[in-house]
Amino acid sequence: MALDFSRVSYRFFDVFASAVGLIVSSPLLIIILVLGYFDTGSPLFRQERVGENKKPFTLIKFRTMKIETLSVATHLTDSSAVTPLGKFLRSSKLDELPQLWNVLRGDMSLVGPRPGLFNHEELLSARDKLGVFEVKPGITGQAQVSNIDMSTPELLAQTDARMIRDMNLNNYFKFIMMTLLGKGGGDRIK
């Protein structure tokens, strides 16, 4: 079996960037962690998500919603569930920072399809048909910078499949830069 250079190079950049990101952002991570204790009493949010080859993994984020909020796709959650700190974290995308740990562990990539929930069957089915689960999920990707979220599962799956098909190092860095520059608005909440 030949070594897939692109996978190796993406993994190299994932490991390097996530390690540097965790080190550089550690003061900010600690501040958000402390503020999160005051906001909800439980600043980290862990949730089982669908990974590469539909293997489950535990995604880590900063908690942005009340603890008793049901574990469903964000677009099915009422906006009253979002805490004041959570609103800021979501709009600034700082709630995603702990996922750098998921990238470092190898559960995720910096760029890839956003990992969905196992109970979001319409999205699972659409992604399965298009081969989206053949790659690691990511923190950001084409759908995220284009404001396409899980509320439109067919469109999201098609966008993810197109991104995977067209992926190259240029696009990898383009999606990262677009995200860092604030492109995309995150998942909608009703």
Side-chain angles (χ1 to χ4, degrees):
M1 185 166 130
L3 184 64
D4 183 352
F5 176 74
S6 61
R7 279 193 181 239
V8 172
S9 57
Y10 295 137
R11 184 69 188 135
F12 170 80
F13 290 119
D14 280 346
V15 169
F16 178 77
S18 60
V20 170
L22 285 167
I23 292 166
V24 170
S25 68
S26 60
L28 181 59
L29 289 166
I30 293 168
I31 291 169
I32 295 171
L33 199 63
V34 171
L35 292 174
Y37 274 111
F38 290 106
D39 189 46
T40 63
S42 179
L44 288 177
F45 174 74
R46 293 172 184 85
Q47 187 178 54
E48 187 176 77
R49 296 285 181 105
V50 184
E52 183 178 17
N53 299 316
K54 294 195 270 186
K55 180 182 170 190
F57 75 97
T58 302
L59 178 127
I60 305 168
K61 293 176 73 166
F62 282 121
R63 184 177 300 280
T64 61
M65 298 184 194
K66 298 172 185 168
I67 292 174
E68 64 275 4
T69 305
L70 293 177
S71 185
V72 296
T74 304
H75 69 278
L76 300 173
T77 305
D78 191 85
S79 62
S80 64
V82 180
T83 68
L85 176 62
K87 187 175 182 178
F88 168 73
L89 292 176
R90 291 176 74 81
S91 66
S92 63
K93 300 179 185 145
L94 291 173
D95 62 319
E96 311 284 352
L97 272 177
Q99 289 173 68
L100 291 173
W101 178 250
N102 287 113
V103 174
L104 192 60
R105 283 177 37 100
D107 299 325
M108 296 176 68
S109 176
L110 291 174
V111 177
R114 283 296 295 155
L117 298 165
F118 280 96
N119 64 6
H120 198 175
E121 293 170 12
E122 192 177 355
L123 179 60
L124 283 174
S125 175
R127 282 179 163 174
D128 209 13
K129 289 176 193 168
L130 297 171
V132 172
F133 294 116
E134 294 174 13
V135 300
K136 288 181 193 286
I139 294 176
T140 192
Q142 185 173 0
Q144 288 66 47
V145 299
S146 304
N147 290 315
I148 299 168
D149 67 8
M150 295 182 188
S151 65
T152 55
E154 288 290 334
L155 177 60
L156 178 57
Q158 291 166 6
T159 305
D160 289 339
R162 185 172 47 254
M163 174 188 65
I164 292 165
R165 185 187 64 235
D166 298 340
M167 184 56 66
N168 55 43
L169 282 176
N170 183 50
N171 285 342
Y172 174 90
F173 288 113
K174 178 178 85 171
F175 295 135
I176 292 170
M177 287 309 300
M178 290 174 78
T179 301
L180 291 174
L181 295 173
K183 185 80 172 146
D187 290 334
R188 285 179 269 264
I189 297 178
K190 56 176 190 171

